[in-house]
């Protein structure tokens, strides 16, 4: 699910487009693996019992339904949410869009940005991710979590803001 190209002006150029860091998907993948293992073990156990075939079929169907519910809720939903979250820097603004069923977003014109900061702890440094903090002229600082290669994004955004300010002064 891409961000809509229709939100870009005719001559606006995308400089950077990122989804949140893949570390957000580690938990859902682990849940998928554990749920699948447990469901397979339970189905094998039920199959080994000396129950009537109809009873085995009903219990296996219940196990399958519970597995499907868990996978959709705890694995598929977080993945689709990750996929539909976009951090975009153009030559004019910073855009953040998120949401699956209901969408929301914010646009910050580069000319209104006062400062750009980033933070990341040891684990985030190992994964090359972090939090990007953008302070604009009219709002409290906005924090964007789990931005991949946050230092590179920080530097790129700083240069884009600097280039925008230079262009406005000419």
């Amino acid at each position: 699910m891409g961000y809509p190209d229709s939100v870009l002006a005719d001559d606006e150029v995308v400089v950077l487009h990122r989804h949140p860091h893949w570390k957000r998907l580690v938990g859902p993948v682990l849940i998928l693996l554990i749920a699948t293992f447990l469901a397979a073990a339970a189905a094998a156990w039920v199959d080994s019992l000396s129950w009537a075939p109809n009873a085995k079929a009903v219990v296996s169907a219940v196990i399958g339904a519970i597995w499907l519910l868990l996978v959709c809720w705890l694995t598929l939903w977080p993945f689709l949410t990750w996929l539909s979250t976009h951090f975009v820097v153009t030559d004019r603004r910073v855009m953040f869009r998120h949401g699956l069923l209901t969408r929301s977003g914010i646009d910050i014109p580069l000319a209104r940005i006062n400062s750009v900061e980033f933070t990341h702890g040891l684990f985030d440094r190992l994964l090359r991710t972090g939090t990007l903090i953008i302070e604009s002229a009219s709002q409290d600082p906005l924090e964007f979590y789990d931005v991949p290669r946050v230092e590179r994004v920080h530097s790129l955004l700083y240069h884009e803001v600097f280039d925008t300010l230079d262009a406005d002064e000419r």
Side-chain angles (χ1 to χ4, degrees):
M1 290 179 215
Y3 66 94
D5 289 330
S6 61
V7 301
L8 299 176
D10 290 336
D11 56 346
E12 191 171 11
V13 177
V14 174
V15 177
L16 176 86
H17 176 211
R18 295 269 165 87
H19 293 284
H21 194 268
W22 57 263
K23 80 175 189 178
R24 284 195 184 178
L25 299 176
V26 170
V29 168
L30 288 175
I31 289 170
L32 173 66
L33 295 174
I34 292 169
T36 301
F37 173 77
L38 292 175
W45 177 72
V46 167
D47 194 45
S48 72
L49 296 174
S50 59
W51 291 355
N54 288 345
K56 286 183 181 181
V58 168
V59 173
S60 293
V62 168
I63 291 171
I66 291 171
W67 175 85
L68 185 63
L69 180 67
L70 283 175
V71 166
C72 287
W73 178 38
L74 299 175
T75 300
L76 185 60
W77 185 262
F79 173 73
L80 293 175
T81 301
W82 173 86
L83 195 61
S84 64
T85 301
H86 303 276
F87 181 80
V88 180
V89 178
T90 72
D91 58 344
R92 294 183 185 179
R93 58 188 163 155
V94 174
M95 296 187 294
F96 181 73
R97 303 278 189 273
H98 64 96
L100 194 58
L101 297 177
T102 58
R103 302 268 308 152
S104 61
I106 187 167
D107 292 1
I108 308 168
L110 293 178
R112 308 253 343 206
I113 293 176
N114 289 341
S115 69
V116 181
E117 304 173 43
F118 70 91
T119 62
H120 52 177
L122 179 62
F123 188 66
D124 284 343
R125 289 183 71 189
L126 291 172
L127 294 177
R128 300 172 74 186
T129 184
T131 301
L132 188 69
I133 304 164
I134 299 175
E135 185 177 335
S136 66
S138 63
Q139 297 174 339
D140 291 334
L142 297 171
E143 295 185 2
F144 301 99
Y145 300 99
D146 297 328
V147 176
R149 295 184 156 187
V150 70
E151 290 185 55
R152 182 172 175 263
V153 174
H154 171 266
S155 176
L156 177 89
L157 191 53
Y158 175 79
H159 289 294
E160 286 295 320
V161 169
F162 186 72
D163 291 347
T164 301
L165 291 176
D166 280 350
D168 288 345
E169 290 176 1
R170 287 183 216 154

